[in-house]
Structure formats: C-alpha cells, structure tokens
C-alpha cells in the first residue's frame, strides 16, 4: 500500500477515535475476520448483518461515526466496538432512544468495571421490561382463551343491551366508575385499597363481562348502557 494511503487510513482512525470520547466500553462479541484499521462500510454492514442505510441511521443518531478515504466510507476500530455494543442492545429489543442514553452514559465511564456495570444495569432494566411484557401477553392470552371458551350457560352472563348493572359486583361497579373517570390501574388500586395485580384482574373481569377488547371499549359500552357517565 502506498505511504499516502497508509497515512490516510491512520488519519481516519485517529479522527474517529478523537470524536468518540469513549475511554471504556463494555465487553461485546466482535464479528470474526474484520480487518484491522479502518473498516469499509460494505465490510461493516456484512459483519454485523445490517444494511448501509442502518449504518447511516446510527450515524445520524450519533451512535457511530464514519470517515472518508476518497469516495469510500470507513469506520475505525472504536466504531466497530461501539457497533458491537449497539448490536447486542438491538438484539434485546432496546429502543434506539434507550441505546442513545446508554451510550451517553458510557462516555462517563471512568473504568472498565464502571462500563460493565452500566451495561449490566441496562440489560437488567430490559429484562424487567421483557418480563412485564410477557406477563401482559400471558394475561391477554388468558383473556382470549376465556372469551373463546365462554359458556353461555354460566351463571354470570356478560352484559348486553338488554341488561343493567346488576351483573356487576359493587366493587366492579366502583372500579368501572373510576375507569370512566380516567383513573389509571395504579390510581384505582390506591382508591380501592387493592394490590396492583388484584386491580388488573378486576379490570380484566369487567372487560370480559362487557365482551370488550380493552378498558376503553368496556367504558364505551357502559356509557351507552347508562351504567356510568363519561
């Protein structure tokens, strides 16, 4: 390689490193067979299984930076390391805004241990979010199953246009009124002195009785039936 090209590659790597301002990054698996020094955009995209447009998007969001050697866009080794961290985050389903916040925090890391701790905390938060989403999906699946298995002969019939509020318990009616007033599940739990899970189950039961898909449909039906006022 001519000396001029070597100097350009070296300058590109130094410029990218200067812009990064990352002293430490958490450990993340790097793709195999990446060349040392600046990595052309095509190699970067292939290594991480993304498109050129995705890399441009990450640049726009300030997550990675690129240099140019002639007409070719290249990434320094620091960009490769950041891309490895970003890829792990994206594979867990982290929103791009959350990744931006994490990368901003990592700029403040004053040791490798600190960077690793920040990364673990972000993953723990994501794990809790996924657990909550799984719980929600489980409840929704259960509700769908209950609706599909609903027996018209059971004692408590779902409310319809020919029924009044007698099918609701006193607690369900009070909960429905609070729902109609725009109370969140958490506020309803406090108002009724119930646990959060108990309140969610109470709301789910009301939604089921109205044969609604969600709390808003249940409220709308209740208003139409004159059970509550909006």
């Amino acid at each position: 390689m001519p000396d001029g090209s070597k100097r350009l590659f070296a300058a590109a790597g130094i410029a990218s490193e200067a812009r990064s301002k990352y002293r430490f990054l958490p450990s993340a698996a790097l793709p195999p067979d990446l060349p040392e020094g600046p990595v052309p955009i095509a190699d970067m995209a292939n290594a991480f299984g993304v498109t050129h447009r995705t890399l441009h998007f990450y640049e726009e969001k300030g997550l990675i930076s690129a240099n140019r050697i002639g007409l070719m866009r290249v990434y320094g080794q620091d960009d490769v390391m950041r891309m490895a961290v970003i890829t792990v985050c994206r594979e867990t389903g982290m929103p791009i805004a959350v990744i931006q916040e994490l990368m901003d925090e990592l700029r403040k890391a004053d040791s490798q241990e600190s960077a690793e701790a920040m990364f673990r905390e972000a993953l723990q938060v994501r794990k809790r979010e996924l657990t909550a989403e799984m719980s929600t999906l489980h409840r929704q699946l259960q509700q769908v199953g209950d609706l599909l298995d609903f027996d018209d002969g059971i004692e408590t019939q779902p409310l319809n246009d020919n029924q009044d509020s007698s099918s609701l318990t006193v607690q369900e009616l009070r909960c429905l009124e609070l729902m109609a007033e725009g109370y969140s599940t958490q506020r309803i739990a406090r108002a009724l002195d119930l646990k959060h899970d108990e309140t969610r189950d109470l709301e789910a039961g009301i939604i089921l009785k109205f044969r609604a898909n969600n709390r808003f449909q249940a409220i709308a039906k209740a208003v139409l039936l004159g059970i509550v006022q909006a």
Side-chain angles (χ1 to χ4, degrees):
M1 181 183 295
D3 290 342
S5 296
K6 288 181 179 178
R7 285 195 297 271
L8 284 173
F9 271 86
I14 293 171
S16 179
E17 185 176 357
R19 285 205 303 274
S20 71
K21 299 180 182 178
Y22 289 88
R23 295 175 59 198
F24 302 96
L25 284 170
S27 302
L30 295 173
D33 303 326
L34 270 177
E36 294 183 3
V39 179
I41 187 170
D43 291 343
M44 186 80 151
N46 290 335
F48 287 100
V50 298
T51 64
H52 290 207
R53 179 174 293 183
T54 297
L55 293 175
H56 289 310
F57 174 71
Y58 289 160
E59 289 179 40
E60 292 172 1
K61 296 300 181 180
L63 296 174
I64 57 176
S65 56
N67 297 280
R68 284 191 180 275
I69 298 178
L71 298 177
M72 181 172 60
R73 297 177 72 84
V74 298
Y75 298 90
Q77 290 301 308
D78 57 304
D79 298 296
V80 174
M81 294 175 66
R82 291 206 299 276
M83 187 64 186
V85 175
I86 293 164
T87 299
V88 172
C89 293
R90 291 298 285 167
E91 287 175 347
T92 68
M94 280 188 197
I96 196 69
V98 174
I99 297 176
Q100 286 178 292
E101 292 176 3
L102 171 61
M103 299 306 287
D104 286 340
E105 284 297 311
L106 287 172
R107 291 179 187 272
K108 305 172 187 176
D110 54 8
S111 67
Q112 186 63 38
E113 291 76 13
S114 176
E116 299 288 355
M118 291 177 183
F119 193 43
R120 284 197 302 272
E121 175 59 26
L123 292 176
Q124 288 288 352
V125 170
R126 183 58 185 153
K127 181 179 179 181
R128 290 194 290 270
E129 291 173 347
L130 290 171
T131 301
E133 290 173 12
M134 288 175 62
S135 178
T136 299
L137 286 172
H138 178 75
R139 289 197 308 274
Q140 290 173 342
L141 283 170
Q142 182 63 51
Q143 184 175 341
V144 170
D146 291 343
L147 288 169
L148 292 174
D149 297 336
F150 187 77
D151 183 357
D152 289 334
I154 62 175
E155 214 172 273
T156 304
Q157 295 285 337
L159 296 173
N160 57 46
D161 294 344
N162 298 316
Q163 292 176 300
D164 57 27
S165 60
S166 61
S167 294
L168 295 171
T169 67
V170 174
Q171 188 180 57
E172 286 174 333
L173 183 57
R174 178 55 180 154
C175 179
L176 179 60
E177 291 171 348
L178 294 175
M179 289 165 62
E181 291 177 19
Y183 276 50
S184 66
T185 303
Q186 188 173 2
R187 289 186 64 193
I188 294 174
R190 288 198 298 266
L192 299 182
D193 194 23
L194 295 173
K195 295 179 180 178
H196 191 267
D197 289 347
E198 293 174 336
T199 307
R200 283 189 311 204
D201 291 341
L202 186 62
E203 289 182 336
I206 294 170
I207 292 169
L208 178 62
K209 286 188 176 182
F210 279 95
R211 285 184 175 171
N213 294 321
N214 51 54
R215 61 160 30 210
F216 304 107
Q217 288 186 5
I219 293 168
K221 288 188 176 183
V223 171
L224 289 174
L225 290 170
I227 297 173
V228 296
Q229 295 182 349

